[in-house]
Amino acid sequence: MSNQLTPDLLIRAYSVGLFPMAESHDDPTLYWIDPEWRGVLPLDGFHVPRSLRKAVRKGTYKIHVDRAFPDVIRACAEPTDTRDDTWINSNILDAYCALHKMGCAHSIEAWKDGELVGGLYGVSLGKAFFGESMFSRATNASKVALVHLVALMRQGGYSLLDTQFVNDHLKQFGVEEIPRERYRNELAKALTGRANLPFEVDPEILEETLTGGDSKPHAPS
């Protein structure tokens, strides 16, 4: 339990499998979470529902990387129809924005008609990406962003996509729940390598991701 958060502390925490959460947006106290079971999305076994494939191919949303990181995390912190409060407090918001400036946190954003309508953000270390939160103000916007994240990770040479927990939303994409020790082993392996998140997706890799192509993640260019 702590209320002090810095980018360096975040990096150290993620490297050993910990992540912070607050009880609510206005509670300054932070708790370090180390789940007994961890959610992981397999990059080469990622499942895209048929209706979502059509939405991605339709190109309704323009996807950008890191164009509006602070806006994405602020949107993720807003109450919704299904969530009265959030675990993202001002300390978390400031620390992750600082981490973004260091190049260790990224946002995948869905834009329509010049407006940010959905997206997600997370932390990138080695060949691991730790998904933190997502939001949507338009149909399927956050899901389209997630599909692009997986394609970009495959393109950039990543090996681990940590979702922290498992929920019904992620089950449709084939999320797996693995025990803590297995997660730590996979994390340790991912941290020994290097990956780079591209700013634009390769159309061929995006199509492989949509159809469940079984090619391995690509080596970073």
Side-chain angles (χ1 to χ4, degrees):
M1 189 186 307
S2 172
N3 59 4
Q4 300 297 321
L5 195 60
T6 65
D8 289 340
L9 179 58
L10 280 173
I11 290 173
R12 293 200 303 272
Y14 276 98
S15 68
V16 295
L18 302 175
F19 58 89
M21 297 183 74
E23 286 287 348
S24 64
H25 77 280
D26 57 358
D27 185 345
T29 304
L30 296 174
Y31 298 86
W32 291 103
I33 311 301
D34 184 16
E36 182 178 356
W37 291 86
R38 199 78 167 225
V40 173
L41 271 174
L43 298 181
D44 53 359
F46 184 71
H47 172 72
V48 183
R50 186 180 300 274
S51 60
L52 185 57
R53 293 181 207 169
K54 294 179 180 178
V56 173
R57 290 175 177 139
K58 189 176 180 181
T60 301
Y61 305 115
K62 178 68 175 177
I63 303 301
H64 294 289
V65 177
D66 290 344
R67 173 171 285 193
F69 182 92
D71 293 332
V72 170
I73 190 171
R74 289 190 190 101
C76 289
E78 294 175 352
T80 68
D81 293 339
T82 59
R83 181 188 66 207
D84 294 330
D85 208 343
T86 176
W87 52 267
I88 302 173
N89 63 15
S90 59
N91 196 356
I92 288 177
L93 194 153
D94 291 342
Y96 281 83
C97 284
L99 198 63
H100 167 66
K101 291 180 179 178
M102 294 172 58
C104 296
H106 301 285
S107 57
I108 313 300
E109 307 152 10
W111 293 76
K112 184 177 181 181
D113 299 329
E115 292 187 11
L116 178 64
V117 295
L120 59 89
Y121 77 96
V123 174
S124 176
L125 297 176
K127 290 187 174 183
F129 191 93
F130 310 84
E132 283 296 315
S133 189
M134 57 174 50
F135 80 98
S136 187
R137 295 170 180 161
T139 303
N140 288 329
S142 63
K143 295 178 183 179
V144 171
L146 177 59
V147 171
H148 278 77
L149 170 64
V150 172
L152 290 167
M153 288 181 64
R154 290 167 59 92
Q155 184 177 333
Y158 286 81
S159 61
L160 176 64
L161 175 49
D162 173 11
T163 67
Q164 299 177 346
F165 303 109
V166 169
N167 56 38
D168 291 338
H169 172 73
L170 293 172
K171 285 179 180 179
Q172 64 187 307
F173 298 105
V175 68
E176 298 177 354
E177 195 170 40
I178 63 176
R180 182 186 292 144
E181 286 306 311
R182 178 182 164 190
Y183 170 78
R184 288 176 176 171
N185 290 335
E186 292 191 13
L187 174 60
K189 292 177 183 178
L191 292 178
T192 62
R194 180 180 178 182
N196 297 296
L197 193 70
F199 281 87
E200 292 188 10
V201 70
D202 183 316
E204 181 178 340
I205 297 176
L206 178 59
E207 186 60 30
E208 289 176 0
T209 302
L210 290 174
T211 56
D214 60 0
S215 61
K216 299 301 181 182
H218 293 233
S221 56

